[in-house]
Amino acid sequence: MTRIGFISDLHIDYLRSYRPAEMIEELVHSAQDNALSHLIIGGDISNSYTMTLTFIEQLQQSLSPIKLYFIPGNHDYWQDPNASKETWKIHQLYQTHPLSLMNEPLLIGDRLAIIGHMGWYNHAYYNQEKFSPEQIEIGRYKIATWQDKKRLDWQMTDEEVSQIFAAEIKEQFNQVSERQVILVTHVVTTKDFIIPMPHRAFDFFNAFIATDDLEPWMNNSSISHHIMGHVHIRHQFHKNHQQWITNSLGYEKEWRTNQLSQELAQSLYVFNFESSN
Ligand SMILES: [Fe+2]
């Protein structure tokens, strides 16, 4: 039996009541309680690639023999606002890491494949009556700034990054299109998971949540499950014979309880694959 658990947006450096070591303990308990064979983390582990990679390697050791894989999120690329940015270098680290799904499709048995990528937002959805494309590109609105603008630098527009990453996702898919495919991204790939507008903050910030470079293609592909994070809501629906899931752990201040174990139980999505499927 293959049982694959998915969770995203751990944000271990924003935890108030738990240390990263306790997050590892609780994730191991949760994976064992759910009899997982695999655990997949959908990005936003921390605000620093060194912390993220250390955490992933420690978690792998503690989880063994349960297999661990991950994709990074935008936070996992952050550097100090004053640092000279090495975003593509960090990207290279994530692409070549042996536990990264951005590397190549993960084949499970003869019939299942998981493909994963951070993806990138492309300003497809925001309140266009309130804001101009120029205001969105700057990422600053009154006193609020979209922190990616200060913390990382792709040296190209968000739209260009989204297109490059969408092409990489399609290329990964083409390698495994004869299998049942699960796609994991960090950014949101459907307008159904943006924050409903009008909204005081997300009329602006929805621009940095989702991309529309993938949805038409996804609807017509043999992908059975689309799993994503980034937006810190927990929701799922069935559409076009596909399951769409967003299941972030999110910031501790957003939790409904004060218990990490309960929040993990509520946000972990478990996919059951019978090898006879
Ligand atoms: Fe994120």
Side-chain angles (χ1 to χ4, degrees):
M1 174 80 82
T2 301
R3 282 173 64 82
I4 309 167
F6 297 86
I7 194 162
S8 73
D9 297 75
L10 304 181
H11 291 289
I12 59 171
D13 41 3
Y14 285 112
L15 288 168
R16 296 165 179 167
S17 321
Y18 297 89
R19 288 172 291 115
E22 292 171 301
M23 173 67 90
I24 289 179
E25 252 173 57
E26 294 291 349
L27 280 170
V28 171
H29 283 155
S30 175
Q32 288 170 344
D33 287 350
N34 284 283
L36 298 184
S37 53
H38 301 70
L39 177 66
I40 295 178
I41 298 183
D44 277 6
I45 293 157
S46 81
N47 288 351
S48 137
Y49 69 91
T50 49
M51 188 187 285
T52 290
L53 290 174
T54 303
F55 180 82
I56 283 291
E57 280 148 28
Q58 287 173 350
L59 179 58
Q60 183 202 22
Q61 284 175 15
S62 305
L63 268 177
S64 179
I66 299 166
K67 295 189 176 79
L68 174 69
Y69 294 92
F70 80 105
I71 52 171
N74 53 318
H75 280 249
D76 300 298
Y77 288 77
W78 279 13
Q79 294 178 268
D80 188 272
N82 301 318
S84 73
K85 302 299 186 294
E86 298 185 300
T87 308
W88 284 106
K89 243 189 191 165
I90 296 170
H91 184 62
Q92 182 73 14
L93 282 177
Y94 287 134
Q95 274 194 312
T96 54
H97 194 281
L99 302 182
S100 168
L101 287 177
M102 296 210 294
N103 195 5
E104 57 185 2
L106 173 64
L107 307 181
I108 297 177
D110 297 332
R111 309 176 75 126
L112 180 67
I114 302 178
I115 59 178
H117 203 295
M118 174 169 61
W120 200 248
Y121 46 78
N122 71 348
H123 314 171
Y125 311 112
Y126 63 95
N127 187 333
Q128 298 186 1
E129 285 161 21
K130 267 170 82 178
F131 303 104
S132 69
E134 291 73 26
Q135 281 174 302
I136 297 289
E137 189 55 48
I138 295 165
R140 233 184 3 255
Y141 162 54
K142 293 187 181 165
I143 54 162
T145 302
W146 182 249
Q147 289 296 309
D148 286 354
K149 298 292 175 190
K150 293 184 184 170
R151 300 294 206 111
L152 57 83
D153 184 5
W154 295 110
Q155 298 175 318
M156 53 177 78
T157 65
D158 289 328
E159 289 91 335
E160 287 168 324
V161 181
S162 170
Q163 279 177 19
I164 291 170
F165 290 173
E168 289 179 3
I169 291 167
K170 292 176 190 177
E171 198 187 298
Q172 268 208 53
F173 174 79
N174 289 338
Q175 297 174 40
V176 292
S177 56
E178 77 291 351
R179 291 173 177 248
Q180 180 182 345
V181 176
I182 298 175
L183 170 61
V184 189
T185 56
H186 180 66
V187 305
V188 169
T189 57
T190 171
K191 62 181 180 312
D192 292 308
F193 286 151
I194 63 168
I195 304 295
M197 297 185 282
H199 185 287
R200 195 169 53 88
F202 281 87
D203 280 353
F204 186 77
F205 288 121
N206 268 332
F208 311 102
I209 295 297
T211 178
D212 68 350
D213 280 335
L214 287 160
E215 192 162 14
W217 167 81
M218 292 165 87
N219 287 334
N220 295 315
S221 75
S222 61
I223 295 171
S224 66
H225 292 70
H226 303 284
I227 306 175
M228 55 201 81
H230 190 46
V231 70
H232 294 197
I233 55 171
R234 299 175 193 165
H235 188 44
Q236 55 175 300
F237 62 87
H238 198 76
K239 186 173 81 176
N240 305 330
H241 311 289
Q242 298 171 325
Q243 196 69 24
W244 298 74
I245 299 135
T246 183
N247 62 325
S248 305
L249 177 66
Y251 300 136
E252 192 174 339
K253 64 179 181 192
E254 299 166 325
W255 295 355
R256 288 162 228 180
T257 71
N258 54 14
Q259 290 300 315
L260 177 55
S261 57
Q262 281 190 44
E263 295 295 321
L264 287 174
Q266 285 167 15
S267 51
L268 185 78
Y269 178 81
V270 179
F271 170 76
N272 240 323
F273 186 71
E274 310 273 352
S275 40
S276 57
N277 277 4

